Amino acid sequence: MQGYTILEGREAPRMAERTTLRLGGPVLAEVCLHEPTAAAALPEIATRLGGTLVSLGAGSNILAGGGLLPLITVRDGTAPEITVLDDDGTRALIRATASAKLPVLLGKTAKLDLAGLEGLTGIPGSVGGAVAMNAGSYGQCIGDALETVTVVTAEGTVRSFSRNEVEMRYRHMAIPAVAGWFMVLAATFRLPRAAHGAVAEKARAHMAQKKATQPVTAASAGCVFKNPSPENSAGKLLDEAGFKGKRLGGMAFSSIHANFMVNEGKGTSEEAVALLGMAKDAVMQKYGVALEAEVKIWV
Ligand code: EPU
């Protein structure tokens, strides 16, 4: 048993099947790791196929190009697990594996009255992806609650790091001690206990606010640009620059929130990239602000 399965060449999936934006052509190969240490095979696969290794979670923050992509996507094929490691009544340590869905983790912590992640309500990704980009909303980032993160490197080595060994900034995560490709396998979160029902109540309020202000059911990748600063919202700038509801072919900036690009059904990667470029240029011209993509652009 080699510990992984690979789909390559004609069997390789299209990124449209793997992303919430439902865009993107085929990759060179997709490797699913059933055992983390099987990652040791990745450098040889990358050399043989001439592609770049990229980790793929739930695909909810990715805009993939339309042609053949020179990428080897790596997925965590191990079962999702969420475990309470420690709970002294006032705070608990929760471990979640990368393949666990973030909403499932939030449901569990709300049930246990554990605070610190409820701001992330409505974010659809996997725990691995959320940690790998330090996802956040309503003033909370997943990194705020992080205690440790476990990753596998391209040598097939599984390593754990404490919070202070990991760089967590706004929509950014890096581990200075690891050069090159790695994939998040699991994370632990230290969460304080709140009054009974308070976390679930906040989560309900956040969800209601999200439903009112974001296109939560559309095919999107969340906000496509980072906010230029905490005081300056990319959505507001795009709205004022006339991009709310703006269409190009089958792609559009949402008419509910201008920083969400949505695939109206038949959108293409080319239209998405062109629309992003138009928006970036317009905001630069109007405000002199260089918007930076939050969505990962894989072309
Ligand atoms: N606004 C507009 N027009 C728009 C959108 C927003 O005028 O089309 C205004 C709003 O009225 C508000 C301000 O801009 O006054 C900020 O808007 P909002 O509260 O929606 O927050 P945001 O800065 O646009 C950020 C995150 C979201 C997160 C929300 C809620 C980024 C890029 N976006 O959006 O995260 O859900 O706050 O906390 O950091 C994501 O990262 O994918 C994402 C969706």
Side-chain angles (χ1 to χ4, degrees):
M1 172 70 179
Q2 59 183 356
Y4 68 89
T5 45
I6 180 165
L7 295 172
E8 62 178 282
R10 284 212 307 229
E11 287 193 326
R14 302 176 64 78
M15 285 303 292
E17 299 163 37
R18 294 285 187 259
T19 56
T20 54
L21 253 183
R22 298 187 201 134
L23 295 177
V27 290
L28 293 175
E30 177 181 273
V31 179
C32 188
L33 299 179
H34 304 295
E35 304 208 5
T37 52
L42 292 172
E44 186 275 322
I45 295 171
T47 306
R48 177 169 63 81
L49 298 176
T52 304
L53 297 170
V54 285
S55 307
L56 181 61
S60 58
N61 193 46
I62 293 165
L63 163 51
L68 174 65
L69 298 162
L71 302 174
I72 294 151
T73 48
V74 187
R75 306 182 75 192
D76 179 358
T78 62
E81 271 174 38
I82 299 171
T83 324
V84 180
L85 295 182
D86 180 34
D87 188 345
D88 67 4
T90 52
R91 46 185 219 151
L93 186 66
I94 305 281
R95 179 178 187 274
T97 60
S99 60
K101 294 276 181 285
L102 191 61
V104 176
L105 173 62
L106 266 56
K108 175 134 190 172
T109 53
K111 215 169 187 173
L112 293 169
D113 297 315
L114 296 170
L117 296 175
E118 65 281 3
L120 283 79
T121 302
I123 298 178
S126 64
V127 169
V131 170
M133 64 165 292
N134 195 15
S137 75
Y138 297 122
Q140 277 176 358
C141 291
I142 199 161
D144 300 343
L146 194 73
E147 181 135 316
T148 63
V149 59
T150 303
V151 305
V152 63
T153 68
E155 290 80 45
T157 312
V158 174
R159 300 178 65 182
S160 288
F161 296 91
S162 58
R163 172 69 186 82
N164 60 11
E165 295 172 291
V166 183
E167 246 180 55
M168 299 298 264
R169 296 197 298 270
Y170 170 61
R171 304 295 190 269
H172 165 92
M173 180 263 202
I175 305 176
V178 180
W181 178 87
F182 68 85
M183 184 167 76
V184 174
L185 294 175
T188 61
F189 304 98
R190 181 69 70 178
L191 304 171
R193 180 152 276 107
H196 182 54
V199 177
E201 189 45 48
K202 271 194 187 163
R204 269 194 293 276
H206 289 322
M207 199 61 225
Q209 196 175 344
K210 270 205 176 155
K211 281 185 175 158
T213 57
Q214 298 183 1
V216 289
T217 57
S220 90
C223 286
V224 286
F225 292 108
K226 292 181 183 174
N227 284 343
S229 70
E231 304 75 40
N232 207 1
S233 156
K236 191 162 191 290
L237 295 177
L238 290 161
D239 189 350
E240 288 170 5
F243 279 82
K244 193 179 237 175
K246 187 164 180 78
R247 288 197 164 70
L248 184 67
M251 298 303 301
F253 280 103
S254 166
S255 52
I256 302 172
H257 191 300
N259 198 13
F260 278 68
M261 185 181 272
V262 298
N263 183 348
E264 297 189 315
K266 293 203 160 55
T268 65
S269 305
E270 290 70 22
E271 289 161 357
V273 170
L275 198 51
L276 269 192
M278 283 160 61
K280 198 174 147 83
D281 288 350
V283 169
M284 173 52 93
Q285 211 162 29
K286 193 166 162 97
Y287 297 102
V289 173
L291 288 181
E292 191 192 326
E294 176 189 308
V295 66
K296 293 204 184 324
I297 302 175
W298 289 357
V299 286

